[in-house]
Amino acid sequence: MVKITNRTVFIVGGTYGIGRGLAQRFVDAGNTVIVGGRSPKTQGERGTVRIDVTDPDSILRARDQVLEAHPDLDVVVTMSGAMITEDLRDPAHIAATEVTIATNLLGTIRVIDAFTPHLIARGSGTILTVSSGIAFLPFPLMPSYGASKAGVHAYTESLRAQLAGTGIEVAELVPPAIATAGQEKINPAALPLDTYLDEVMELLAAEPTAHEILVKGVLMHRWAERDGTYAELVERRSQPLNTLPNR
Ligand SMILES: NC(=O)c1ccc[n+]([C@@H]2O[C@H](COP(=O)([O-])OP(=O)(O)OC[C@H]3O[C@@H](n4cnc5c(N)ncnc54)[C@H](OP(=O)(O)O)[C@@H]3O)[C@@H](O)[C@H]2O)c1
């Protein structure tokens, strides 16, 4: 992405987890940061805007509120995400699919649509999407999640091509497992949030025009197909399916 100082940044999904941590890093680096989310608990905090990315009206209200207070807004981060495990042998999993796609994929697309006209009119800005290592290397316990994040990756690639020449940069954050959102309890390999954010900020500073923000811990996911490790890794990552009923 990105010059990372003197920007005005809206992190949608910045009330908890990676988004909240990134918001603090951006503040520390000399940026103005607004965070968005649904949770009423954080609504009283300064710079927090209520937004539900599964609700198109809510997105437009949040957009208007943010742009009225910050007409110089020039960075939008689409961090909101739902991570849900599913048992595809039970058709009831579709409820999880619906939430996942509505939040992670449609939500990302709608938030970008809400801000694109503003950024085009400014003639500069940055859109930072958030996919996952799972976009590139499945974790079979989370099929719709993987599909949504592969969708975010593919969409980001086309968005960048369509916005070429407008002055808007498009970059993609590709986190590996991070010790947030309950990962810290179930995944001992999850990276501590601060370790992850240290590396992200270093990468942003060192390579401001990178299309993808790839910390070392996600390279094995990102390049598994190229490196010939894909089949073996998918098999290994299928082991947790044993935790599902009747397996
Ligand atoms: N943690 C990981 O291992 C990992 C790995 C790869 C990628 N990622 C991705 O990184 C992003 C952040 O994950 P995280 O671990 O920080 O998760 P988290 O701690 O659960 O935070 C998720 C954020 O998204 C917001 N959110 C969820 N549903 C929303 C909705 N409908 N509308 C608006 N905001 C919504 C939440 O705020 P409210 O609850 O206030 O709405 C919260 O701020 C997600 O896109 C996730 O898929 C995470």
Side-chain angles (χ1 to χ4, degrees), residues 11-20 36-43 50-55 58 78-83 99 102-104 108 130-134 145 148-149 173-184 187 190-191 193 196 218:
I11 303 184
V12 184
T15 46
Y16 295 107
I18 301 174
R20 189 181 175 103
R38 298 158 305 173
S39 169
K41 260 199 289 187
T42 55
Q43 296 306 312
R50 184 174 167 75
I51 180 169
D52 180 345
V53 301
T54 65
D55 173 357
S58 166
T78 57
M79 183 67 77
S80 301
M83 282 182 267
V99 171
T103 308
N104 301 6
T108 292
V130 181
S131 66
S132 164
I134 293 176
Y145 180 78
S148 73
K149 293 298 189 176
L173 193 66
V174 190
I178 308 298
T180 53
Q183 290 284 327
E184 62 279 17
N187 185 353
L191 265 187
L193 179 59
Y196 176 63
V218 84

Side-chain angles (χ1 to χ4, degrees), residues 133-141 220-221 224-225 228-241:
I134 293 176
F136 302 94
L137 178 68
F139 180 59
L141 203 51
M220 71 164 224
H221 308 77
E225 264 191 292
T229 52
Y230 187 89
E232 184 199 326
L233 286 172
V234 172
E235 196 181 324
R236 199 189 305 164
R237 291 157 68 82
S238 300
Q239 294 308 315
L241 292 174

Side-chain angles (χ1 to χ4, degrees), residues 17-90:
I18 301 174
R20 189 181 175 103
L22 191 65
Q24 190 57 52
R25 296 300 181 112
F26 281 165
V27 168
D28 296 344
N31 302 283
T32 300
V33 180
I34 308 104
V35 298
R38 298 158 305 173
S39 169
K41 260 199 289 187
T42 55
Q43 296 306 312
E45 293 179 13
R46 225 172 100 242
T48 301
V49 167
R50 184 174 167 75
I51 180 169
D52 180 345
V53 301
T54 65
D55 173 357
D57 291 337
S58 166
I59 293 173
L60 297 183
R61 277 195 302 274
R63 186 266 320 269
D64 292 347
Q65 188 183 340
V66 169
L67 291 183
E68 197 181 306
H70 303 277
D72 55 348
L73 182 93
D74 62 347
V75 183
V76 177
V77 183
T78 57
M79 183 67 77
S80 301
M83 282 182 267
I84 310 176
T85 59
E86 294 165 79
D87 180 354
L88 298 190
R89 296 187 194 181
D90 176 0

